[in-house]
């Protein structure tokens, strides 16, 4: 099914030390408009639109950056997620503060986050772009996947990849 699959980020328990978003979303962030289609798994893309809905219907967990595992002391909130969605409407953000998973300062950084790179206007738009080339990822998508695997060796690359 194209892409590679890491456990759904919003399902993982966020560490108490979850950091605010990086100054710019990662070069493999599924919310970035310049990331090739087909990098992430169908399930990863399916998670993105869930944060577009009404606050009470959204997932209760923060969407963490894919660059670090959730138990890494460098785990942080995804910059693309913070930049795409209205922080005042994010259920996960409200609950994370209440549960002590993030500080009030981190919550404010998420609410005020402004991405320096173009992002899709919604999780649904990001997901539609992402799944478009899932079965036939471009060479550029494969390069991005290879880079992710170098950073996160536990990630398994897709068996559907062009050679070279």
């Amino acid at each position: 099914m194209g892409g590679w699959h890491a456990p759904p980020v919003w399902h993982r328990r966020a560490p108490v030390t979850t950091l605010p978003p990086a100054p710019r979303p990662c070069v493999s962030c599924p919310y970035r408009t310049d990331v090739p289609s087909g990098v992430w798994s169908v399930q990863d893309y399916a998670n993105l639109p869930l944060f577009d809905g009404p606050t009470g219907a959204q997932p209760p967990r923060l969407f963490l950056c894919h660059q670090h595992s959730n138990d890494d002391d460098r785990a942080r909130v995804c910059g693309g997620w913070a930049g795409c969605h209205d922080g005042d409407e994010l259920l996960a953000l409200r609950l994370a503060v209440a549960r002590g998973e993030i500080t009030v300062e981190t919550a404010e950084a998420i609410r005020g986050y402004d991405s320096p790179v173009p992002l899709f206007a919604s999780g649904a738009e990001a997901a539609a772009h992402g799944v478009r080339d899932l079965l036939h990822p471009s060479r550029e998508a494969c390069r991005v996947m290879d880079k992710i695997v170098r950073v996160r060796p536990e990630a398994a690359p897709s068996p559907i990849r062009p050679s070279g």
Side-chain angles (χ1 to χ4, degrees):
M1 281 273 205
W4 62 271
H5 181 70
V9 180
W10 59 273
H11 273 231
R12 292 188 250 157
R13 187 173 185 285
V16 176
T17 58
T18 301
L19 300 171
R24 67 185 316 112
C26 300
V27 297
S28 61
C29 181
Y31 284 101
R32 286 179 62 144
T33 59
D34 61 348
V35 171
S37 175
V39 171
W40 300 99
S41 75
V42 68
Q43 185 57 51
D44 287 320
Y45 289 121
N47 290 332
L48 306 181
L50 299 177
F51 295 98
D52 293 342
T55 302
Q58 294 173 14
R61 296 281 179 206
L62 295 169
F63 193 88
L64 302 180
C65 177
H66 289 86
Q67 296 296 319
H68 303 285
S69 64
N70 70 314
D71 57 354
D72 188 322
D73 62 358
R74 297 169 295 168
R76 61 175 57 246
V77 170
C78 171
W81 178 77
C84 177
H85 300 287
D86 179 354
D88 291 331
E89 300 300 323
L90 289 170
L91 175 64
L93 186 56
R94 296 176 189 185
L95 293 175
V97 171
R99 292 188 294 239
E101 294 172 353
I102 60 173
T103 64
V104 172
E105 293 79 16
T106 294
E108 289 306 315
I110 295 165
R111 278 192 187 94
Y113 189 81
D114 187 25
S115 175
V117 296
L119 303 174
F120 288 101
S122 68
E125 283 184 22
H129 165 77
V131 298
R132 186 189 67 224
D133 297 334
L134 210 59
L135 295 178
H136 304 287
S138 67
R139 293 195 191 296
E140 179 58 24
C142 291
R143 281 191 286 276
V144 172
M145 285 186 262
D146 290 342
K147 191 174 186 179
I148 293 166
V149 172
R150 282 194 303 274
V151 173
R152 298 270 314 271
E154 72 276 14
S158 168
I160 302 173
R161 294 162 46 119
S163 59

